[in-house]
Amino acid sequence: MPAIKDSNIVKIAVEMTNQVPNLTEFNQKQPLTCIIQELCNQWGLAEPEQYALQFNDNNNRNYITEKNRNEVKNGSVLRLEFSPLKTAQDILHKFTAGSPEDKAMAIQKLSKLSSDITFALEFINKQGLTLIIKQIEAGNSKGTVLAHTLLSFVELMEHGIVSWEILDVAFINRVAGLVNTSQDEDINQAALSILENVVLNHSQGYEQVEREVPVTSLITHLQETSVVQQNTVALINALLTKADYVKRKSVAATLISKQLRVVIQNNIIQTGAAEGAEMAHQLYVLQTLILGLFEQRMVTKMDPQDQDGHDKIKELRKIAFDSEGAGSMRGPGGFTRDYKKLGFKNDINPALDFTETPPGLLALDCMVYFARNHPDNYTKLVLENSCRADEHECPFGRASVELVKILCELLKIGEPPAEQGATFQPLFFANDYPFEETFCICIVLLNKTWKEMRATSEDFGKVASVVREQIIRALQTSPLSLEQLRQRLQSLTYSEITSLWQQERTSREEWESHARPIVELREQITPDILNLITQQRLTYLVEGTRFTKYSARGQRIKDKFWFMRLSPNHKVLHYGDCDEKSAPSAEELASKLAVSDIKALYIGKDCPHMRGRKASHQLAFSLALEGVDLMSLDCVAPDELAFAYWTDGINGLLGNKMQSKETEKDLDTLLSMEIKLRLLDAEGVTIPQDPPIIPPDPPHYSFYYELQ
């Protein structure tokens, strides 16, 4: 019989500078100190406690510890290097007593090792971080040395070992000075990242950075490489997030100025830089924060004593009806008639139309903007409707209130940026007043759709739903300018929307019959359909998903990703680091987790990494583990579909019921298709709601049929 293979032993190669590589076995049950002792003995090295094993992959140079040793697999190539403690001491010695060349080599080595938390702990414990901070404050380093110093600082701080509160004014001012002057790409990238974290995580950081780094000084960085652009937008977002309403409004005014918009359009959107996942997220956050400035007006009801509001209502009437100077001749009754023609629900006191929130006073602001900046279209729209019969009149006032409400809902005004959000509208970086101009285009569309539908006042809700669909479909194409939005909306006529709805209804028509035979058939085939859905979810898990990394503080880390996939036999989860575009195979992923070790699935706010956080947690899920060193494997899905598929797949592996909305939708769709296929032979036959009544038994069975 062949010898039984021990699963705890893997075959590896170990390299060391100036030594012949060693092919050996790595026993997962043997202490690391013993393995290192054996290697040192073979190579004749004294003091084995000063050595440690390192991974030797391009994307992984971390030290091997008892916690991550299970990432060592058959065929792994490792290196024997000085231990984290010895390496940290050597680097610090060169910092303090070495030549300029020694210092340059030491800081370069530090920048490569700082991402390893094992080394970072030793380096910080030896007061290395304090030394780095003093080096940056002193301002003596230049060029590559400065870039490596800043990068090392960023990597060390991202571990969350030390609070950002340790930084003083001198350090922040020094880094701000680097951002305000022309520097190399690597220096700008690291300096911008430091300032972003200072703004978000330092109690006094916002005031200092906002004072030292005006937004206008960041324009030049938006014209550099994509990573620098990305960090620049992230810093702007941090400043907007921490600013109060007045300051945020001032910063936003600068951001939507033509000078800055042209830079974003020419250097980010049109160059394709916005197609990257992180840049798209940052632009989405920027758009959300700027649009969030409308929230205050959106949730503010009109006060009866608000003179400015009353003046704006009078201005609407004046622009529409007093073009010939006849307004002064009208009495109170004439004003009431005018307000009725303007389409207000309360023609006696139009102010009451703006008491609903949302959209509150934002609707009035948009109406006045339309009247002031597009007077011809405004007058034409109002007078055209005033000439129609009352029942066919499109009420401008009521329609405007509803339209602004729709726009606020679709653009999620008032909602905080989602951590996984990446959908932004390029047109909002193409105009000084993008929201108001979008309203102006859409109110003309609403009037056009009203005429196409030959609607009456009773059809107002139907028209609003059609216009909502038109806007949704137009924005889905991400128009680059307002003109493209206008053209797209013009092509989406009422008949076109009706046709699209009919096609979709035909393709996804659900069988809604309540006939008992159909209900029984559904119950009969539901288990098979659920099994089919489970297999699809597991196939999705086998293909794998790329997740965004989060720091120990629960903050999203830019440009850091990891990948997880299920083994084809559905018994092991493989996971490990990756870049933005790669999809590593199971063999390329360093870590693995047996499905049998998963104790439970937690989602949302029940996840360990989401407890106590104010940020959104809708896409978070965690795998609670038992029998392994790791307490839980924490994830945040990139989108709602991935969240649904992963939670369904994990529930399927655990034998639990799949509970996502996607499962409900897929179940209904597949049941509908299956039932239709099975009932093809019954086409044209009316299936009764209840089976026919069985007639009573005959009084006797003494009868027969005689064939003559």
Side-chain angles (χ1 to χ4, degrees), residues 437-613:
E437 288 293 339
T438 300
F439 167 82
C440 296
I441 293 171
C442 293
I443 193 64
V444 174
L445 168 76
L446 191 149
N447 186 61
K448 172 175 170 285
T449 303
W450 184 282
K451 290 189 290 184
E452 290 172 351
M453 294 178 66
R454 299 179 181 178
T456 65
S457 55
E458 295 179 353
D459 300 320
F460 185 86
K462 296 178 182 177
V463 176
S465 66
V466 172
V467 170
R468 177 190 175 87
E469 188 70 17
Q470 290 170 317
I471 297 172
I472 290 174
R473 291 178 183 270
L475 291 178
Q476 283 174 346
T477 63
S478 297
L480 296 175
S481 65
L482 291 167
E483 185 56 36
Q484 286 189 14
L485 174 66
R486 182 183 288 106
Q487 292 174 2
R488 179 58 180 150
L489 288 171
Q490 288 294 323
S491 67
L492 288 169
T493 61
Y494 170 60
S495 59
E496 176 70 12
I497 290 294
T498 305
S499 175
L500 290 170
W501 276 347
Q502 183 61 41
Q503 293 173 17
E504 292 172 0
R505 190 177 300 115
T506 302
S507 64
R508 67 170 192 269
E509 184 179 11
E510 299 175 358
W511 188 269
E512 296 179 348
S513 171
H514 298 290
R516 190 182 301 174
I518 304 301
V519 172
E520 292 175 354
L521 180 58
R522 287 175 69 96
E523 293 174 352
Q524 180 182 341
I525 63 178
T526 293
D528 293 336
I529 299 296
L530 284 173
N531 184 57
L532 181 64
I533 294 172
T534 302
Q535 293 305 313
Q536 185 271 334
R537 300 296 195 262
L538 294 178
T539 301
Y540 180 86
L541 268 60
V542 170
E543 292 175 356
T545 302
R546 184 167 49 253
F547 297 87
T548 304
K549 271 196 171 185
Y550 281 72
S551 69
R553 294 174 180 272
Q555 291 181 337
R556 191 172 184 273
I557 302 176
K558 298 191 297 294
D559 285 331
K560 293 291 180 71
F561 303 89
W562 64 287
F563 200 89
M564 181 162 64
R565 68 192 322 155
L566 181 66
S567 63
N569 63 4
H570 303 165
K571 292 183 178 180
V572 179
L573 284 170
H574 298 269
Y575 62 96
D577 293 344
C578 69
D579 58 37
E580 182 178 341
K581 296 181 180 179
S582 68
S585 65
E587 291 74 20
E588 294 171 330
L589 295 171
S591 304
K592 61 182 179 179
L593 172 70
V595 172
S596 59
D597 291 332
I598 301 175
K599 179 176 64 174
L601 170 68
Y602 298 119
I603 61 174
K605 61 183 180 182
D606 295 328
C607 298
H609 62 311
M610 289 294 158
R611 288 171 186 162
R613 294 196 59 209

Side-chain angles (χ1 to χ4, degrees), residues 137-156:
E137 287 180 0
N140 298 325
S141 302
K142 306 291 182 184
T144 305
V145 173
L146 177 58
H148 286 311
T149 305
L150 293 170
L151 179 60
S152 300
F153 174 79
V154 172
E155 293 285 359
L156 290 168

Side-chain angles (χ1 to χ4, degrees), residues 28 57 154 194 209 295 316 413 472 503 508 579 626 674:
Q28 293 286 8
D57 299 332
V154 172
I194 291 170
V209 175
E295 181 184 10
L316 289 172
I413 292 178
I472 290 174
Q503 293 173 17
R508 67 170 192 269
D579 58 37
E626 61 180 0
E674 182 67 19

Side-chain angles (χ1 to χ4, degrees), residues 297-459:
R297 297 290 285 177
M298 181 186 75
V299 299
T300 303
K301 299 179 181 180
M302 183 164 176
D303 192 321
Q305 308 301 320
D306 183 0
Q307 188 58 46
D308 179 63
H310 286 288
D311 289 343
K312 286 181 177 179
I313 293 173
K314 291 176 182 177
E315 185 179 356
L316 289 172
R317 188 205 62 78
K318 184 177 180 180
I319 295 174
F321 301 111
D322 287 2
S323 56
E324 298 179 0
S328 59
M329 305 294 292
R330 295 174 181 265
F335 285 179
T336 301
R337 285 193 298 273
D338 289 347
Y339 290 142
K340 186 174 182 181
K341 290 179 181 179
L342 278 171
F344 288 110
K345 286 194 287 187
N346 300 279
D347 47 30
I348 297 176
N349 183 10
L352 296 175
D353 282 36
F354 304 104
T355 56
E356 178 187 0
T357 58
L361 286 172
L362 183 58
L364 179 58
D365 294 342
C366 290
M367 293 166 69
V368 172
Y369 179 91
F370 181 45
R372 289 175 181 172
N373 294 277
H374 303 276
D376 293 340
N377 287 340
Y378 169 69
T379 305
K380 177 183 176 183
L381 190 151
V382 173
L383 296 181
E384 183 181 287
N385 281 289
S386 65
C387 295
R388 296 179 189 162
D390 286 349
E391 66 272 13
H392 288 285
E393 180 181 301
C394 177
F396 171 72
R398 183 183 175 192
S400 297
V401 171
E402 184 64 26
L403 177 59
V404 174
K405 186 177 180 180
I406 290 172
L407 289 174
C408 288
E409 183 180 343
L410 296 182
L411 297 172
K412 303 185 186 304
I413 292 178
E415 297 184 17
E419 291 187 353
Q420 297 294 326
T423 303
F424 70 96
Q425 295 298 333
L427 68 88
F428 281 94
F429 299 97
N431 192 273
D432 290 348
Y433 300 96
F435 182 82
E436 293 88 341
E437 288 293 339
T438 300
F439 167 82
C440 296
I441 293 171
C442 293
I443 193 64
V444 174
L445 168 76
L446 191 149
N447 186 61
K448 172 175 170 285
T449 303
W450 184 282
K451 290 189 290 184
E452 290 172 351
M453 294 178 66
R454 299 179 181 178
T456 65
S457 55
E458 295 179 353
D459 300 320

Side-chain angles (χ1 to χ4, degrees), residues 219-235:
I219 293 177
T220 55
H221 297 310
L222 292 172
Q223 303 173 53
E224 298 181 29
T225 61
S226 59
V227 179
V228 175
Q229 291 174 337
Q230 179 179 293
N231 286 7
T232 303
V233 179
L235 175 56

